[in-house]
Amino acid sequence: DEVRPDVVLTFGPDGQTFHPDHIAVSRWTTHAVRMADADPDLLYAVMTPEWVEAFAELVPMDQVMMTDDPPPSVPASELALWFWCDDVLAARKVAALRCQASQVEPLVAMGGLDAYTLLTRDEFYRRATASDWSG
């Protein structure tokens, strides 16, 4: 309420990989936005089918998904925001992500740094819907 953001970015209800911690963050953030005096636009991080396919060519999906369910994805036509990092921002983003060595380094080792950088350039978000607010 003090900051009154226009937009809030978080994981979607599926946690993007069905990771329980990501799902909890989504629930907490969604609840906070619902309870806020301000009315920010709530956007959930998602993956497009094309991105999932490109990622799966480099890294087995069972290495990143928390279930045997297929990765959730959203068609590009349903995105609220598609952000692409230029070279400088991509390098900075990858350097920050690599600070989570236990999470990131196995992916870099599987696909190589160039491929990892290419895959992290894109960020996709969909707008929260009424069904996301229930519960």
PDB file of all heavy atoms in Angstrom, residues 6 10 32 35 41-42 46 52 58 67 91 93 99 103 110 112 115 119 124-126 129:
ATOM      1  N   ASP A   6       2.001   0.058 -10.012  1.00  0.00           N
ATOM      2  CA  ASP A   6       1.050  -0.049 -11.116  1.00  0.00           C
ATOM      3  C   ASP A   6       0.924  -1.489 -11.583  1.00  0.00           C
ATOM      4  O   ASP A   6      -0.129  -1.911 -12.052  1.00  0.00           O
ATOM      5  CB  ASP A   6       1.496   0.810 -12.307  1.00  0.00           C
ATOM      6  CG  ASP A   6       1.499   2.285 -11.975  1.00  0.00           C
ATOM      7  OD1 ASP A   6       0.570   2.750 -11.290  1.00  0.00           O
ATOM      8  OD2 ASP A   6       2.440   2.972 -12.403  1.00  0.00           O
ATOM      9  N   THR A  10       4.699 -11.875 -10.692  1.00  0.00           N
ATOM     10  CA  THR A  10       4.942 -13.020  -9.815  1.00  0.00           C
ATOM     11  C   THR A  10       4.745 -14.311 -10.600  1.00  0.00           C
ATOM     12  O   THR A  10       4.410 -14.287 -11.779  1.00  0.00           O
ATOM     13  CB  THR A  10       4.006 -12.978  -8.578  1.00  0.00           C
ATOM     14  OG1 THR A  10       4.445 -13.985  -7.649  1.00  0.00           O
ATOM     15  CG2 THR A  10       2.562 -13.205  -8.943  1.00  0.00           C
ATOM     16  N   ALA A  32      -1.968 -10.605  -1.530  1.00  0.00           N
ATOM     17  CA  ALA A  32      -1.553  -9.235  -1.195  1.00  0.00           C
ATOM     18  C   ALA A  32      -2.141  -8.230  -2.176  1.00  0.00           C
ATOM     19  O   ALA A  32      -2.625  -7.171  -1.767  1.00  0.00           O
ATOM     20  CB  ALA A  32      -0.029  -9.139  -1.176  1.00  0.00           C
ATOM     21  N   MET A  35      -5.796  -7.705  -1.490  1.00  0.00           N
ATOM     22  CA  MET A  35      -6.067  -6.971  -0.260  1.00  0.00           C
ATOM     23  C   MET A  35      -5.580  -5.517  -0.311  1.00  0.00           C
ATOM     24  O   MET A  35      -5.925  -4.730   0.566  1.00  0.00           O
ATOM     25  CB  MET A  35      -5.407  -7.681   0.936  1.00  0.00           C
ATOM     26  CG  MET A  35      -5.838  -9.134   1.122  1.00  0.00           C
ATOM     27  SD  MET A  35      -7.623  -9.462   1.038  1.00  0.00           S
ATOM     28  CE  MET A  35      -8.241  -8.528   2.395  1.00  0.00           C
ATOM     29  N   ASP A  41      -1.996  -3.940 -11.734  1.00  0.00           N
ATOM     30  CA  ASP A  41      -2.168  -5.000 -12.724  1.00  0.00           C
ATOM     31  C   ASP A  41      -1.310  -6.171 -12.258  1.00  0.00           C
ATOM     32  O   ASP A  41      -0.110  -6.010 -12.031  1.00  0.00           O
ATOM     33  CB  ASP A  41      -1.702  -4.484 -14.090  1.00  0.00           C
ATOM     34  CG  ASP A  41      -2.228  -5.277 -15.251  1.00  0.00           C
ATOM     35  OD1 ASP A  41      -3.081  -6.159 -15.048  1.00  0.00           O
ATOM     36  OD2 ASP A  41      -1.798  -4.998 -16.377  1.00  0.00           O
ATOM     37  N   LEU A  42      -1.902  -7.339 -12.069  1.00  0.00           N
ATOM     38  CA  LEU A  42      -1.179  -8.521 -11.618  1.00  0.00           C
ATOM     39  C   LEU A  42      -0.854  -9.385 -12.825  1.00  0.00           C
ATOM     40  O   LEU A  42      -1.751  -9.833 -13.541  1.00  0.00           O
ATOM     41  CB  LEU A  42      -2.009  -9.306 -10.601  1.00  0.00           C
ATOM     42  CG  LEU A  42      -1.391 -10.594 -10.060  1.00  0.00           C
ATOM     43  CD1 LEU A  42      -0.072 -10.303  -9.325  1.00  0.00           C
ATOM     44  CD2 LEU A  42      -2.369 -11.293  -9.126  1.00  0.00           C
ATOM     45  N   VAL A  46       4.930 -16.764 -17.300  1.00  0.00           N
ATOM     46  CA  VAL A  46       4.532 -17.952 -18.052  1.00  0.00           C
ATOM     47  C   VAL A  46       5.604 -18.294 -19.078  1.00  0.00           C
ATOM     48  O   VAL A  46       6.578 -17.566 -19.242  1.00  0.00           O
ATOM     49  CB  VAL A  46       3.164 -17.746 -18.766  1.00  0.00           C
ATOM     50  CG1 VAL A  46       2.047 -17.566 -17.757  1.00  0.00           C
ATOM     51  CG2 VAL A  46       3.217 -16.578 -19.725  1.00  0.00           C
ATOM     52  N   VAL A  52       9.065 -23.486 -24.427  1.00  0.00           N
ATOM     53  CA  VAL A  52       9.166 -24.802 -23.777  1.00  0.00           C
ATOM     54  C   VAL A  52       9.855 -25.790 -24.722  1.00  0.00           C
ATOM     55  O   VAL A  52      10.734 -26.547 -24.307  1.00  0.00           O
ATOM     56  CB  VAL A  52       7.775 -25.323 -23.352  1.00  0.00           C
ATOM     57  CG1 VAL A  52       7.845 -26.783 -22.911  1.00  0.00           C
ATOM     58  CG2 VAL A  52       7.196 -24.453 -22.237  1.00  0.00           C
ATOM     59  N   LEU A  58      17.364 -28.576 -25.021  1.00  0.00           N
ATOM     60  CA  LEU A  58      18.634 -28.455 -24.314  1.00  0.00           C
ATOM     61  C   LEU A  58      18.656 -29.166 -22.975  1.00  0.00           C
ATOM     62  O   LEU A  58      19.691 -29.669 -22.540  1.00  0.00           O
ATOM     63  CB  LEU A  58      18.963 -26.980 -24.088  1.00  0.00           C
ATOM     64  CG  LEU A  58      19.173 -26.163 -25.353  1.00  0.00           C
ATOM     65  CD1 LEU A  58      19.301 -24.698 -25.005  1.00  0.00           C
ATOM     66  CD2 LEU A  58      20.414 -26.646 -26.095  1.00  0.00           C
ATOM     67  N   THR A  67       6.615 -32.244 -11.347  1.00  0.00           N
ATOM     68  CA  THR A  67       5.645 -33.324 -11.554  1.00  0.00           C
ATOM     69  C   THR A  67       5.903 -33.951 -12.916  1.00  0.00           C
ATOM     70  O   THR A  67       6.741 -33.475 -13.679  1.00  0.00           O
ATOM     71  CB  THR A  67       4.181 -32.803 -11.541  1.00  0.00           C
ATOM     72  OG1 THR A  67       3.947 -32.073 -12.742  1.00  0.00           O
ATOM     73  CG2 THR A  67       3.895 -31.945 -10.331  1.00  0.00           C
ATOM     74  N   ALA A  91      23.323 -10.245 -20.154  1.00  0.00           N
ATOM     75  CA  ALA A  91      24.549 -10.616 -19.432  1.00  0.00           C
ATOM     76  C   ALA A  91      24.384 -10.354 -17.938  1.00  0.00           C
ATOM     77  O   ALA A  91      24.789 -11.180 -17.102  1.00  0.00           O
ATOM     78  CB  ALA A  91      25.742  -9.836 -19.980  1.00  0.00           C
ATOM     79  N   LYS A  93      21.517 -10.250 -16.290  1.00  0.00           N
ATOM     80  CA  LYS A  93      20.522 -11.194 -15.783  1.00  0.00           C
ATOM     81  C   LYS A  93      21.152 -12.568 -15.556  1.00  0.00           C
ATOM     82  O   LYS A  93      20.940 -13.189 -14.512  1.00  0.00           O
ATOM     83  CB  LYS A  93      19.358 -11.293 -16.769  1.00  0.00           C
ATOM     84  CG  LYS A  93      18.261 -12.227 -16.333  1.00  0.00           C
ATOM     85  CD  LYS A  93      17.129 -12.251 -17.344  1.00  0.00           C
ATOM     86  CE  LYS A  93      16.051 -13.231 -16.950  1.00  0.00           C
ATOM     87  NZ  LYS A  93      14.963 -13.274 -17.935  1.00  0.00           N
ATOM     88  N   CYS A  99      24.197 -16.746  -9.631  1.00  0.00           N
ATOM     89  CA  CYS A  99      24.444 -16.695  -8.182  1.00  0.00           C
ATOM     90  C   CYS A  99      23.669 -17.794  -7.463  1.00  0.00           C
ATOM     91  O   CYS A  99      24.010 -18.148  -6.337  1.00  0.00           O
ATOM     92  CB  CYS A  99      24.061 -15.321  -7.620  1.00  0.00           C
ATOM     93  SG  CYS A  99      25.198 -14.018  -8.151  1.00  0.00           S
ATOM     94  N   GLN A 103      20.889 -24.139  -8.616  1.00  0.00           N
ATOM     95  CA  GLN A 103      19.729 -24.164  -9.508  1.00  0.00           C
ATOM     96  C   GLN A 103      20.124 -23.994 -10.967  1.00  0.00           C
ATOM     97  O   GLN A 103      19.519 -24.582 -11.853  1.00  0.00           O
ATOM     98  CB  GLN A 103      18.749 -23.048  -9.133  1.00  0.00           C
ATOM     99  CG  GLN A 103      18.210 -23.154  -7.737  1.00  0.00           C
ATOM    100  CD  GLN A 103      17.240 -24.300  -7.601  1.00  0.00           C
ATOM    101  OE1 GLN A 103      16.332 -24.451  -8.395  1.00  0.00           O
ATOM    102  NE2 GLN A 103      17.441 -25.117  -6.594  1.00  0.00           N
ATOM    103  N   MET A 110      24.314 -28.428 -19.003  1.00  0.00           N
ATOM    104  CA  MET A 110      23.589 -29.268 -19.975  1.00  0.00           C
ATOM    105  C   MET A 110      23.492 -28.621 -21.343  1.00  0.00           C
ATOM    106  O   MET A 110      23.650 -29.288 -22.362  1.00  0.00           O
ATOM    107  CB  MET A 110      22.181 -29.560 -19.467  1.00  0.00           C
ATOM    108  CG  MET A 110      22.111 -30.582 -18.372  1.00  0.00           C
ATOM    109  SD  MET A 110      20.385 -30.941 -17.977  1.00  0.00           S
ATOM    110  CE  MET A 110      20.400 -30.707 -16.223  1.00  0.00           C
ATOM    111  N   GLY A 112      24.928 -25.348 -22.247  1.00  0.00           N
ATOM    112  CA  GLY A 112      25.948 -24.376 -22.599  1.00  0.00           C
ATOM    113  C   GLY A 112      25.499 -22.957 -22.254  1.00  0.00           C
ATOM    114  O   GLY A 112      24.306 -22.658 -22.230  1.00  0.00           O
ATOM    115  N   ALA A 115      23.426 -20.950 -25.036  1.00  0.00           N
ATOM    116  CA  ALA A 115      22.030 -21.390 -25.137  1.00  0.00           C
ATOM    117  C   ALA A 115      21.238 -20.941 -23.910  1.00  0.00           C
ATOM    118  O   ALA A 115      20.093 -20.488 -24.036  1.00  0.00           O
ATOM    119  CB  ALA A 115      21.948 -22.903 -25.300  1.00  0.00           C
ATOM    120  N   LEU A 119      17.967 -18.451 -23.916  1.00  0.00           N
ATOM    121  CA  LEU A 119      16.675 -18.831 -23.335  1.00  0.00           C
ATOM    122  C   LEU A 119      16.227 -17.901 -22.207  1.00  0.00           C
ATOM    123  O   LEU A 119      15.033 -17.805 -21.935  1.00  0.00           O
ATOM    124  CB  LEU A 119      16.720 -20.268 -22.829  1.00  0.00           C
ATOM    125  CG  LEU A 119      16.693 -21.317 -23.934  1.00  0.00           C
ATOM    126  CD1 LEU A 119      17.042 -22.687 -23.377  1.00  0.00           C
ATOM    127  CD2 LEU A 119      15.349 -21.340 -24.618  1.00  0.00           C
ATOM    128  N   PHE A 124       7.964 -13.738 -20.288  1.00  0.00           N
ATOM    129  CA  PHE A 124       6.578 -13.733 -20.745  1.00  0.00           C
ATOM    130  C   PHE A 124       5.653 -13.626 -19.535  1.00  0.00           C
ATOM    131  O   PHE A 124       5.893 -14.288 -18.524  1.00  0.00           O
ATOM    132  CB  PHE A 124       6.241 -15.038 -21.480  1.00  0.00           C
ATOM    133  CG  PHE A 124       7.227 -15.428 -22.543  1.00  0.00           C
ATOM    134  CD1 PHE A 124       8.155 -16.430 -22.315  1.00  0.00           C
ATOM    135  CD2 PHE A 124       7.206 -14.814 -23.783  1.00  0.00           C
ATOM    136  CE1 PHE A 124       9.052 -16.820 -23.297  1.00  0.00           C
ATOM    137  CE2 PHE A 124       8.092 -15.192 -24.784  1.00  0.00           C
ATOM    138  CZ  PHE A 124       9.014 -16.197 -24.541  1.00  0.00           C
ATOM    139  N   TYR A 125       4.601 -12.847 -19.676  1.00  0.00           N
ATOM    140  CA  TYR A 125       3.631 -12.685 -18.594  1.00  0.00           C
ATOM    141  C   TYR A 125       2.220 -12.671 -19.156  1.00  0.00           C
ATOM    142  O   TYR A 125       1.975 -12.109 -20.217  1.00  0.00           O
ATOM    143  CB  TYR A 125       3.870 -11.368 -17.831  1.00  0.00           C
ATOM    144  CG  TYR A 125       5.211 -11.333 -17.157  1.00  0.00           C
ATOM    145  CD1 TYR A 125       6.327 -10.832 -17.819  1.00  0.00           C
ATOM    146  CD2 TYR A 125       5.371 -11.814 -15.868  1.00  0.00           C
ATOM    147  CE1 TYR A 125       7.569 -10.804 -17.209  1.00  0.00           C
ATOM    148  CE2 TYR A 125       6.613 -11.791 -15.245  1.00  0.00           C
ATOM    149  CZ  TYR A 125       7.703 -11.282 -15.928  1.00  0.00           C
ATOM    150  OH  TYR A 125       8.933 -11.268 -15.322  1.00  0.00           O
ATOM    151  N   ARG A 126       1.325 -13.271 -18.404  1.00  0.00           N
ATOM    152  CA  ARG A 126      -0.090 -13.187 -18.737  1.00  0.00           C
ATOM    153  C   ARG A 126      -0.800 -12.437 -17.617  1.00  0.00           C
ATOM    154  O   ARG A 126      -0.338 -12.421 -16.470  1.00  0.00           O
ATOM    155  CB  ARG A 126      -0.712 -14.564 -18.928  1.00  0.00           C
ATOM    156  CG  ARG A 126      -0.885 -15.363 -17.639  1.00  0.00           C
ATOM    157  CD  ARG A 126      -1.778 -16.581 -17.849  1.00  0.00           C
ATOM    158  NE  ARG A 126      -1.887 -17.395 -16.671  1.00  0.00           N
ATOM    159  CZ  ARG A 126      -2.776 -17.203 -15.692  1.00  0.00           C
ATOM    160  NH1 ARG A 126      -3.622 -16.199 -15.741  1.00  0.00           N
ATOM    161  NH2 ARG A 126      -2.814 -18.018 -14.653  1.00  0.00           N
ATOM    162  N   THR A 129      -6.522 -13.669 -14.227  1.00  0.00           N
ATOM    163  CA  THR A 129      -7.924 -13.707 -14.610  1.00  0.00           C
ATOM    164  C   THR A 129      -8.785 -13.944 -13.379  1.00  0.00           C
ATOM    165  O   THR A 129      -8.282 -14.255 -12.294  1.00  0.00           O
ATOM    166  CB  THR A 129      -8.186 -14.847 -15.629  1.00  0.00           C
ATOM    167  OG1 THR A 129      -7.911 -16.093 -14.977  1.00  0.00           O
ATOM    168  CG2 THR A 129      -7.333 -14.692 -16.870  1.00  0.00           C
TER     169      THR A 129
END
